[in-house]
Amino acid sequence: MINLQDKLIISNNGQGMYEITNNVHNWIIKNNIIKGQLNLFIQHTSASLTIMENASPDVLEDINSFFQKIVPEDSSLYKHGHGEGKDDMPAHIKSMLTQTSLTIPIDNKKMHLGTWQGIYLIEHRYSQYQRKIIISYVGE
């Protein structure tokens, strides 16, 4: 049984969805991961993780538009965040509606993702950030 834990640092350019599938794949190859379970956990409350279609950029644009509609960026609606920008409290809500961790099965050094699936960091704030993702592995 092998247990590994590491940290991925992902830089972004502000609000949007950033595919990190290759970052995770490179970590698997670097660590000679063969078979087991991979867990990703983001250490932030205004960003999140998801597995989403990676074939059409329209999907990502539609998701961003949808979030703008269901979580208004109007600071008068929220008690928190008046000094932190109009995107702060909406970012926390969006993070709550999505995921902070993902579990992905690994077999033969490959992630068992579907044909059109990719791993994404979702940045909910407008500013650029470096986000920390804890990557844990248990397996052979």
Side-chain angles (χ1 to χ4, degrees), residues 12 16 42-49 91-92 94-96 98-101 120-125 129 131-132:
N12 67 61
I42 192 162
Q43 293 184 297
H44 303 279
T45 59
S46 57
S48 52
L49 299 170
H92 294 311
K94 292 172 190 175
S95 179
M96 182 186 73
T98 53
Q99 302 170 78
T100 56
S101 67
Y120 288 85
L121 181 148
I122 310 171
E123 178 57 61
H124 300 297
R125 301 292 308 264
Y129 287 94
R131 298 302 192 174
K132 297 175 189 106

Side-chain angles (χ1 to χ4, degrees), residues 28-125:
I28 291 167
I29 299 303
K30 179 182 107 177
N31 288 284
N32 198 31
I33 302 301
I34 297 170
K35 185 176 186 174
Q37 295 290 315
L38 189 69
N39 183 265
L40 305 172
F41 175 78
I42 192 162
Q43 293 184 297
H44 303 279
T45 59
S46 57
S48 52
L49 299 170
T50 195
I51 294 175
M52 185 49 56
E53 178 180 330
N54 63 359
S56 170
D58 292 343
V59 171
L60 306 181
E61 288 182 36
D62 288 342
I63 289 169
N64 285 327
S65 295
F66 177 74
F67 271 126
Q68 294 297 323
K69 291 174 187 169
I70 65 167
V71 186
E73 292 181 357
D74 178 354
S75 57
S76 69
L77 299 173
Y78 311 107
K79 290 181 182 180
H80 172 77
H82 290 281
E84 298 182 51
K86 71 177 189 171
D87 66 339
D88 185 56
M89 190 58 213
H92 294 311
I93 294 170
K94 292 172 190 175
S95 179
M96 182 186 73
L97 293 173
T98 53
Q99 302 170 78
T100 56
S101 67
L102 302 171
T103 301
I104 303 163
I106 308 294
D107 191 26
N108 198 24
K109 298 184 180 184
K110 294 181 182 175
M111 293 179 278
H112 273 274
L113 294 173
T115 302
W116 307 114
Q117 289 182 322
I119 304 166
Y120 288 85
L121 181 148
I122 310 171
E123 178 57 61
H124 300 297
R125 301 292 308 264

Side-chain angles (χ1 to χ4, degrees), residues 121-139:
L121 181 148
I122 310 171
E123 178 57 61
H124 300 297
R125 301 292 308 264
Y126 286 122
S127 297
Q128 296 178 349
Y129 287 94
Q130 282 193 331
R131 298 302 192 174
K132 297 175 189 106
I133 300 171
I134 302 298
I135 185 166
S136 303
Y137 168 78
V138 177

